[in-house]
Amino acid sequence: MLDLAIKHKEELQKKLVDTWFTDKYKFVHAGVYCDEEKIEENTWNKHQFVSLDKDGNVIGYIRYNVNRSDNSCGGLYICNFSDNKIVFGMDLGQALKDIFEKFKFRKLTFCVVVGNPIEKSYDKMISKYNGRIVGVWKKDIKCYDGDYYDKKSYEILREDYMEAVVHK
């Protein structure tokens, strides 16, 4: 179940800190340092959600930035803390649906570090919702392991998403 992150702030921040400098989450952080996630007290600049299991435990985090001047979203950040891919995947689907259907944002942009195991799922999601791969930046991200990685950028327009949903 998708819920507001602010309602689960302490549990969420602990789980996020537990991912620092771990190989499993190296591509999630995509940088040479980690910083505590600020859970906003409003939704003007960011929408922040947690994914909850059937017992109400935080199993994931979904956040994106909101650009009010052009009614778009970017910087999609997705982190699954569990092996519960089904519930987390449904919550991610709900977040995407909300972006385009509930909040009616006109565009979503986001990136992935090439080599991240989730990259193939993002490619499928982009295809499913008529989005596109905007480009790949070579050796653009330096992770804490000291290696440089390519970064792939995606975008989905609301009208393309809506067309895909209608013709499903």
Side-chain angles (χ1 to χ4, degrees):
M1 180 178 90
L2 207 55
D3 200 7
L4 295 171
I6 196 165
K7 293 167 57 177
H8 306 271
K9 184 177 180 176
E10 289 179 19
E11 183 182 0
L12 173 59
Q13 286 180 323
K14 182 186 178 321
K15 287 187 174 288
L16 285 167
V17 169
D18 286 344
T19 67
W20 292 4
F21 301 121
T22 61
D23 285 343
K24 182 177 179 180
Y25 296 98
K26 169 176 70 176
F27 295 123
V28 173
H29 295 291
V32 295
Y33 77 99
C34 299
D35 197 5
E36 186 172 79
E37 179 78 2
K38 180 174 179 356
I39 307 304
E40 300 292 335
E41 296 178 7
N42 64 66
T43 61
W44 186 253
N45 294 313
K46 289 181 184 177
H47 286 182
Q48 297 170 294
F49 302 97
V50 291
S51 177
L52 303 174
D53 67 11
K54 63 180 173 52
D55 298 317
N57 300 307
V58 173
I59 63 167
Y61 178 52
I62 301 166
R63 179 248 301 146
Y64 51 88
N65 301 323
V66 175
N67 184 332
R68 301 285 174 185
S69 65
D70 74 358
N71 196 38
S72 69
C73 301
L76 183 66
Y77 178 93
I78 301 167
C79 188
N80 186 353
F81 306 119
S82 74
D83 293 327
N84 193 337
K85 294 178 182 177
I86 293 172
V87 171
F88 185 76
M90 289 174 53
D91 287 343
L92 177 57
Q94 183 63 52
L96 290 171
K97 181 178 179 179
D98 288 350
I99 286 170
F100 294 113
E101 296 181 34
K102 182 178 188 177
F103 303 121
K104 295 183 173 46
F105 289 112
R106 68 175 191 86
K107 182 182 194 178
L108 170 66
T109 59
F110 61 100
C111 297
V112 68
V113 176
V114 174
N116 184 335
I118 199 69
E119 178 186 359
K120 289 178 184 169
S121 295
Y122 288 175
D123 288 349
K124 288 178 187 174
M125 180 178 74
I126 284 295
S127 177
K128 177 180 178 178
Y129 294 122
N130 296 328
R132 71 184 187 108
I133 297 170
V134 177
V136 177
W137 287 264
K138 295 294 185 181
K139 297 186 179 185
D140 195 62
I141 301 287
K142 181 180 179 184
C143 287
Y144 71 83
D145 62 7
D147 291 336
Y148 287 88
Y149 298 88
D150 297 347
K151 177 176 75 174
K152 185 188 293 185
S153 181
Y154 303 96
E155 73 177 0
I156 305 172
L157 297 175
R158 181 173 188 272
E159 58 262 28
D160 295 333
Y161 169 89
M162 296 304 289
E163 181 181 318
V165 171
V166 169
H167 293 101
K168 230 164 98 157

